[in-house]
Amino acid sequence: LLIPWGLAEPAPGSHQTTVLFTHDLHSHFLPLERADGGESGGYARLASALKEERAAHPGALTVDGGDFSVGSLIQALYTTQAAELRTMGAMGYDAVTVGNHEFDGTGSGFGEMLTAARRSGDVTPALLLANYRPEEDSLDLQRAMAAYGVEESLLLERGGVTYGIFGLMGRDAHACAPTSGFVLEDPVRAARRCVERLEEQGAEVIVCLSHGGTSPDGTSEDEELARAVEGIDLILSGHTHTTLTQPIVEGDTYIVSAGEYGKNLGSVTLSWNEAGEKTLTDYRLIPLDGTWES
């Protein structure tokens, strides 16, 4: 259920949320061979894992942190068929953000992909991008984004909990997309704006889909974001292909990553008690290996 702005009211008392997540899928529809001779990934396995996790957590959100395209031969269908976004819609993704590789075909290629997705008539996920905008003279691209319905943020009610979700492009990711034709707004400033708006609209749980990334030394863009912006409960961090076996915790914010190419499906469950105190109830990276039907 999507909630019109200004109509949401926070639910009192304790609540719990489960978020299922991927990032940096890079058009890997088919499994990849591992060094040990086994296989990992593949969208059939991902769909099977999503089905099982949703059965266990009926109110779970499903989100992606960007770079869902470019990395296999299927990327040839990106601009004309929007294969990645349409398949994510078929798998029940609620919301995704974009990464730098969505602009490998320039900004106009991104716009063509959005148009192909819309004209297909298929269900597609919400596409969220708060701090990355086409240059002012890119009118065709602006129309394509408006027609698809690209927004900064989304208010969504699921299982009695109101979620606020927004998407960000990182600084390094922008530098990796020199032909995008897009202009980057400071991610911290954009995040503060989104958090303030979503809180005003009644969001109880705020999730950031960030294509910023993490690093071993703690100086990454998404760790900086968590330290600089209060009110973000969960950051799904893409771009650096990081596999976090445990979330990074910065203040009251959890940062999660599941690794690249669909090797894992991430699942994180957070709980709030009556006093509004948040705890990590469960965190798993579910290997999409040969034990899953493909």
Side-chain angles (χ1 to χ4, degrees):
L1 172 64
L2 304 184
I3 303 175
W5 287 7
L7 297 184
E9 292 292 338
S14 60
H15 55 277
Q16 185 177 90
T17 177
T18 296
V19 179
L20 307 174
F21 59 91
T22 56
H23 54 89
D24 299 289
L25 290 172
H26 287 291
S27 300
H28 282 296
F29 282 59
L30 301 177
L32 291 172
E33 185 175 343
R34 300 195 309 251
D36 63 4
E39 290 184 337
S40 67
Y43 282 15
R45 290 173 177 154
L46 174 57
S48 295
L50 286 169
K51 181 178 180 180
E52 183 170 299
E53 288 299 305
R54 289 171 184 147
H57 306 281
L61 299 183
T62 307
V63 295
D64 184 83
D67 271 3
F68 51 79
S69 66
V70 182
S72 79
L73 288 175
I74 294 173
Q75 73 190 50
L77 303 174
Y78 177 70
T79 57
T80 59
Q81 299 296 322
E84 297 85 356
L85 208 56
R86 290 167 63 189
T87 304
M88 294 171 84
M91 288 192 288
Y93 276 76
D94 294 296
V96 306
T97 193
V98 301
N100 49 287
H101 283 287
E102 272 69 79
F103 299 95
D104 280 6
T106 72
S108 61
F110 175 67
E112 291 170 11
M113 183 275 295
L114 294 179
T115 298
R118 180 177 57 83
R119 288 179 175 172
S120 73
D122 292 347
V123 174
T124 54
L127 190 56
L128 306 178
L129 193 54
N131 69 322
Y132 212 46
R133 295 178 176 82
E135 294 177 347
E136 291 185 359
D137 60 352
S138 302
L139 297 181
D140 289 343
L141 181 52
Q142 291 177 40
R143 292 189 188 101
M145 291 175 67
Y148 182 91
V150 179
E151 297 284 356
E152 288 194 356
S153 61
L154 169 70
L155 204 66
L156 186 151
E157 194 275 334
R158 180 74 56 75
V161 179
T162 303
Y163 298 88
I165 314 169
F166 66 99
L168 293 178
M169 175 71 84
R171 294 186 296 273
D172 181 74
H174 169 58
C176 293
T179 62
S180 70
F182 274 56
V183 178
L184 184 77
E185 178 188 1
D186 176 60
V188 169
R189 181 171 60 187
R192 286 175 177 156
R193 179 179 67 248
C194 289
V195 170
E196 181 179 0
R197 178 192 304 140
L198 290 167
E199 288 179 340
E200 289 175 350
Q201 295 167 359
E204 300 168 82
V205 181
I206 294 182
V207 179
C208 173
L209 312 180
S210 174
H211 204 72
T214 58
S215 61
D217 61 5
T219 62
S220 71
E221 291 189 37
D222 283 336
E223 288 160 286
E224 174 190 326
L225 176 70
R227 288 190 287 265
V229 182
E230 293 184 2
I232 303 175
D233 294 297
L234 182 69
I235 297 175
L236 165 54
S237 179
H239 184 53
T240 50
H241 292 202
T242 308
T243 303
L244 293 175
T245 57
Q246 291 295 325
I248 296 171
V249 183
E250 289 286 352
D252 202 34
T253 302
Y254 290 86
I255 305 172
V256 298
S257 295
E260 75 281 17
Y261 308 148
K263 293 176 181 177
N264 303 294
L265 170 65
S267 175
V268 57
T269 300
L270 300 173
S271 298
W272 284 257
N273 64 19
E274 294 286 346
E277 298 166 330
K278 178 172 57 188
T279 58
L280 179 68
T281 303
D282 183 50
Y283 181 76
R284 290 171 296 133
L285 301 184
I286 302 158
L288 300 179
D289 54 22
T291 62
W292 293 97
E293 181 181 351
S294 62

